[in-house]
Amino acid sequence: MRHNKKFNHLSRKANHRAAMLSNMACSLIMHKRISTTLAKAKALRIYVEPILTRAKEDNMNNRRLAFSLLKQKEVVTELFQNVGEKIANRPGGYTRILRTGFRLGDAAEMCIIELVDYNENMLKETKKAAKKATRRAGKKAVKEEVAAVAEEAAPVAEAPAAE
């Protein structure tokens, strides 16, 4: 029984699983997007998000903890210099999983896992949605302006007629 077992063992021994997740996390940080199976992506998300949270504050202790999990100096440098600055204002949810279908050989469900702040296409769509929201508020403001102009124009039109 699997009572109270929180993470997916991915059919691997502990050392193999730790090495695989470390390598996948390094690839994700360096390339900003990788393609893998859904089960590995979900396990990677649990592994990498605490590391990304530590990258928001650049100090020696956080660098040592990140290096103990990632084992590559270049990746830790990239993480704290570029990625950490870009995700500094985000409260969480640094990765996104996009399902891409099934693999032909064994029908495993495939997906792309990526860092959220590095997908320029998704960022453009959110900016368009923000414009729509401001535009709706603009219509309301225009109606209020038209009503105010109509109220001002009505007394002006009546004043010359009264004389």
Side-chain angles (χ1 to χ4, degrees):
M1 288 187 217
R2 290 194 71 247
H3 294 306
N4 205 21
K5 302 209 187 296
K6 299 288 185 185
F7 63 95
N8 190 348
H9 295 279
L10 300 172
S11 299
R12 287 163 172 82
K13 301 286 183 183
N15 291 336
H16 184 190
R17 186 173 53 250
M20 182 190 66
L21 289 173
S22 176
N23 287 334
M24 289 176 68
C26 291
S27 296
L28 179 64
I29 291 167
M30 290 304 288
H31 301 293
K32 314 303 187 251
R33 167 188 290 193
I34 58 173
S35 178
T36 184
T37 62
L38 185 63
K40 287 180 186 175
K42 288 180 177 180
L44 178 62
R45 176 191 286 180
I46 294 168
Y47 185 84
V48 79
E49 294 227 356
I51 299 170
L52 293 171
T53 302
R54 291 212 175 259
K56 290 163 70 171
E57 184 182 349
D58 188 4
N59 58 34
M60 186 59 69
N61 186 46
N62 287 344
R63 281 182 177 265
R64 285 179 175 168
L65 288 169
F67 184 76
S68 71
L69 294 171
L70 298 176
K71 309 277 195 290
Q72 294 182 20
K73 188 188 292 187
E74 300 82 21
V75 175
V76 173
T77 303
E78 171 76 15
L79 176 66
F80 281 90
Q81 284 182 353
N82 300 331
V83 178
E85 292 175 1
K86 197 147 188 177
I87 64 172
N89 296 328
R90 182 174 288 277
Y94 311 109
T95 57
R96 176 185 297 125
I97 294 176
L98 302 168
R99 296 173 188 225
T100 57
F102 296 92
R103 189 162 51 196
L104 289 178
D106 59 354
E109 191 167 2
M110 299 298 290
C111 67
I112 294 172
I113 183 168
E114 64 185 5
L115 296 177
V116 172
D117 292 322
Y118 283 91
N119 189 340
E120 301 300 328
N121 296 331
M122 293 278 193
L123 293 175
K124 289 178 185 175
E125 290 175 8
T126 57
K127 290 179 184 176
K128 289 180 183 177
K131 287 183 181 177
K132 286 183 181 178
T134 57
R135 212 171 134 205
R136 287 183 188 146
K139 286 182 182 178
K140 212 182 249 186
V142 169
K143 287 181 183 179
E144 291 172 1
E145 287 179 15
V146 170
V149 169
E151 289 175 8
E152 291 176 2
V156 172
E158 291 174 11
E163 291 178 0

